[in-house]
Amino acid sequence: AKLTYWYWAESDAPGANKWLKSEVALYEKSHPNVKISVVIQSTDTLTSAFTTAAQTKTGPDIATQWATLPTLTPAWSGATVPISDYVPKSEWKNWISTAENMWDGKLWAMPQYLIGIPFVWNKQLFKKAGLNPNVGPKTWAEFLADCKKLKAKGITPFGMGNQDGYGGAWFFSLIGKQNLNSINELKAAMIGTQDFANAKFSGFYQLLVDLKKNGYLNSDVASISFGQGFQLFGQKKVAMSWGTDGNVAQWEGQVGAKNMGVGAIPIWGHGKLSTSYDVTQSSDAFITKWSKNPEAAAQFLVFLHSPQALKAWYKATGERADRSRSPN
């Protein structure tokens, strides 16, 4: 079998590309009749490229998309096949966070990893601004007060990129959702039974406006991508940021563990979700309808969930592997 795998994960978990290359080499060595071609995907075109592939029914045997709608929409349109048709439940019941990939009683995609999203600050820059380097902001008021002192010392307080719109999306996920009591309230706004224009849902936009107006964001926030915005903290160009576990681990190597503080997202809202912590499987893998070798594709995905592969994943990226227990 010859398999083509359209892969994306490096932006979430630096080290992921190298890990997959190594796992492919191991798999091909033990399965000499299988050849796997990995095609790394761009964040900017991840969804649009697969949409085109689905229309022409050509391209990958295995593809990566972000969890929930980007994964389930191809299933609804008939572009993918259920993984549960090829992988026994005795195996995939060990995979955690599969609920986001279920439809019609079947599993349509394989979760690979979980990411959390902490808040970080540069202790050296805090000290330069006269702030306590060992204490990060716990509330939005404290965050703004820190921003003011940092800016007064010529330090850009917070780094973000929003050219692709992902910065704004994360801002809602981390800050805007804090006014809600449950995800069901967001669902109500999305289907129109609640008005999204209500400040409960959209009030966070004013926070973004204020941050930009006061000069608390990097000046090029609208002209750099979300991924480029992440790089600013590691480059020591901004004092505060948020990022995935994998990016935070990478920043630790750039900034130095003793120079970096890590904590929860500052609290702004008053809903029950104001103190919740964001954890998601982020991306996952599925098998395309046009693949000539769905069995071989499924076997490889099972291999990526073997204890050996997941231990290697953690070593390469620092992210938590997406398996609840060993198959034994």
Side-chain angles (χ1 to χ4, degrees):
K2 291 183 179 180
L3 302 173
T4 298
Y5 190 170
W6 284 9
Y7 186 70
W8 180 95
E10 187 75 16
S11 297
D12 269 348
N17 289 349
K18 184 178 180 180
W19 167 81
L20 184 61
K21 181 180 179 181
S22 175
E23 295 307 309
V24 166
L26 288 173
Y27 192 78
E28 289 181 340
K29 184 176 181 179
S30 60
H31 298 75
N33 292 327
V34 178
K35 297 299 177 184
I36 302 170
S37 174
V38 177
V39 182
I40 302 301
Q41 298 298 290
S42 165
T43 301
D44 295 340
T45 59
L46 180 63
T47 299
S48 60
F50 186 78
T51 299
T52 300
Q55 291 170 346
T56 59
K57 296 181 174 57
T58 59
D61 296 273
I62 307 171
T64 305
Q65 287 291 297
W66 292 302
T68 62
L69 282 179
T71 289
L72 292 179
T73 299
W76 297 334
S77 65
T80 61
V81 296
I83 284 184
S84 53
D85 283 359
Y86 300 94
V87 178
K89 190 172 182 178
S90 60
E91 163 60 25
W92 63 262
K93 73 177 183 180
N94 298 305
W95 305 351
I96 59 177
S97 201
T98 54
E100 297 178 34
N101 305 330
M102 298 294 295
W103 171 59
D104 198 25
K106 295 189 175 184
L107 177 65
W108 293 82
M110 177 201 76
Q112 183 66 52
Y113 58 94
L114 293 175
I115 59 169
I117 305 173
F119 182 89
V120 296
W121 65 93
N122 185 309
K123 291 184 177 182
Q124 289 181 319
L125 296 180
F126 262 47
K127 189 174 182 179
K128 182 179 178 181
L131 296 167
N132 185 338
N134 297 314
V135 180
K138 293 180 175 60
T139 67
W140 195 252
E142 291 175 358
F143 171 71
L144 293 178
D146 290 349
C147 285
K148 185 175 182 179
K149 289 187 176 182
L150 288 161
K151 185 190 175 187
K153 291 296 184 179
I155 301 167
T156 301
F158 192 83
M160 189 171 73
N162 196 46
Q163 183 185 50
D164 43 22
Y166 296 132
W170 270 48
F171 204 91
F172 173 78
S173 176
L174 299 171
I175 304 296
K177 63 91 184 275
Q178 292 185 15
N179 266 341
L180 307 182
N181 291 317
S182 73
I183 296 300
N184 286 330
E185 290 187 333
L186 177 60
K187 290 179 181 178
M190 293 300 97
I191 64 176
T193 57
Q194 291 285 333
D195 185 4
F196 190 78
N198 187 306
K200 180 175 185 176
F201 300 101
S202 56
F204 74 95
Y205 282 123
Q206 187 59 49
L207 302 186
L208 269 174
V209 171
D210 292 343
L211 289 179
K212 185 69 171 64
K213 184 189 303 182
N214 291 322
Y216 294 162
L217 299 176
N218 45 298
S219 60
D220 56 355
V221 60
S223 59
I224 64 173
S225 70
F226 186 58
Q228 290 172 318
F230 266 178
Q231 295 172 12
L232 297 175
F233 186 84
Q235 295 168 348
K236 305 177 185 178
K237 294 181 178 179
V238 298
M240 295 179 283
S241 184
W242 47 47
T244 68
D245 298 326
N247 280 283
V248 170
Q250 184 180 55
W251 295 338
E252 184 180 44
Q254 296 172 296
V255 177
K258 66 179 182 180
N259 298 321
M260 189 170 76
V262 181
I265 304 297
I267 297 176
W268 164 71
H270 303 285
K272 291 181 179 179
L273 296 184
S274 62
T275 57
S276 63
Y277 185 64
D278 276 39
V279 178
T280 178
Q281 64 168 282
S282 187
S283 70
D284 47 43
F286 50 69
I287 303 170
T288 60
K289 180 73 172 182
W290 55 85
S291 174
K292 295 179 180 179
N293 299 288
E295 295 89 353
Q299 289 173 14
F300 178 63
L301 292 180
V302 169
F303 170 78
L304 293 183
H305 267 277
S306 65
Q308 168 275 320
L310 296 185
K311 288 177 181 177
W313 166 269
Y314 185 77
K315 184 177 180 180
T317 69
E319 296 284 6
R320 180 182 175 183
D322 207 348
R323 190 183 187 102
S324 61
R325 58 182 91 66
S326 115
N328 298 321

